[in-house]
Amino acid sequence: MTDVTGEPVDALHTLFHSDQGGHEQVVLCQDRASGLKAVIAIHSTALGPALGGTRFYPYASEQAAVADALNLARGMSYKNALAGLDHGGGKAVIIGDPEAFEGDRRTELLLAYGRAVASLGGRYVTACDVGTYVADMDVVARECRWTTGRSPENGGAGDSSVLTAFGVFQGMRASAQHLWGDPTLRGRKVGVAGVGKVGHHLVEHLLADGAEVTITDVREESVRRITEKHPGVAVASDTEALIRTEGLDIYAPCALGGALNDDTVPVLTASVVCGAANNQLSHPGVEKDLADRSILYAPDYVVNAGGVIQVADELHGFDFDRCRAKAAKIFDTTLAIFARAKSDGIPPAAAADRIAEQRMADAAARR
């Protein structure tokens, strides 16, 4: 394991530019016996130990993995701050194809990863993310007590995607209240891009509320799981077709980040963007492009905080009803951000940043 919080090597130097957010610590982890290559990024511990998930993904390069870890960790600081949690932000990425690690090979890799997290002494608390699951966290926890997202039989809360989807639904309700004066999705046409762990739960909430839903996903089995249960759900051929759907009221990106970019924003037909994916804005300035097109953007790290609310609660003895009540407050938080954006004359993403930054600054000042 190599700590790179000092002078970064030349290949990574540009990733430590100030616009990456001034991370406290970045750790490169390697275990040759198991094949582990991972990056742990700690953005801030001003509010408490950094908390964030573990992404297992076949990055094109180690530099791409570091960049993703930095961006995701920074996002977790802001997410945790606005969720009212006493946690800073961190994130870990494991480099590799998760489908290539099965059985004993996956177990050995996860145990090595658990040892890497444990070596940080509690500065970083890990959980699930893209490519990792509850069963994986059970394995990590064998080597690291700073692990959440475990199964109930192993002292955890289980699948956090349930409350993540519930929180996104609350963000959609707040968006509807702000834009149309009514917090219901009944009769609204909602497009969901990505119906995996979180997206398929979101679809259930939308249908129960009376929304008309169109979905797309690169995995046919994910689409089929929904259409077999709900034949009335429409299917778009791909994300581009979805965002161009005529009459779309709300677009919900629920896959990987960067969904809102210079190519997609100009052709979006929806009046609202509210989804579960992290880092939806591909670069600074996209939020203004959305505002210029009168598209209301519910900041991703605000509305998708239900999962982190759940895993944070697990550290203190999990209670689902208590967590659901906290996740329901995402409705009020989203409305407050829209109100701040209007009063300050700025996009909602900038308003959310200001509120989160103020909470972190206040906490740092009290140290």
Side-chain angles (χ1 to χ4, degrees), residues 5 24 29 66 83 165 170 183 189 209 221 233 271 273 311 317 324 327-328 362:
T5 53
E24 292 181 10
C29 313
V66 173
Q170 297 307 313
K189 192 169 187 177
D209 200 36
E221 62 271 23
V233 170
S271 301
V273 175
V311 297
R324 195 177 191 276
D362 290 346

Side-chain angles (χ1 to χ4, degrees), residues 16 43 52 68 95 125 159 175 183 192 212 218 227 230 242 282 333 357 362:
F16 287 78
H43 175 259
D68 200 30
I95 304 169
V125 181
D159 185 6
S175 300
V192 182
E212 179 183 343
V218 296
T227 56
H230 303 288
L242 179 66
S282 63
T333 302
E357 287 163 0
D362 290 346

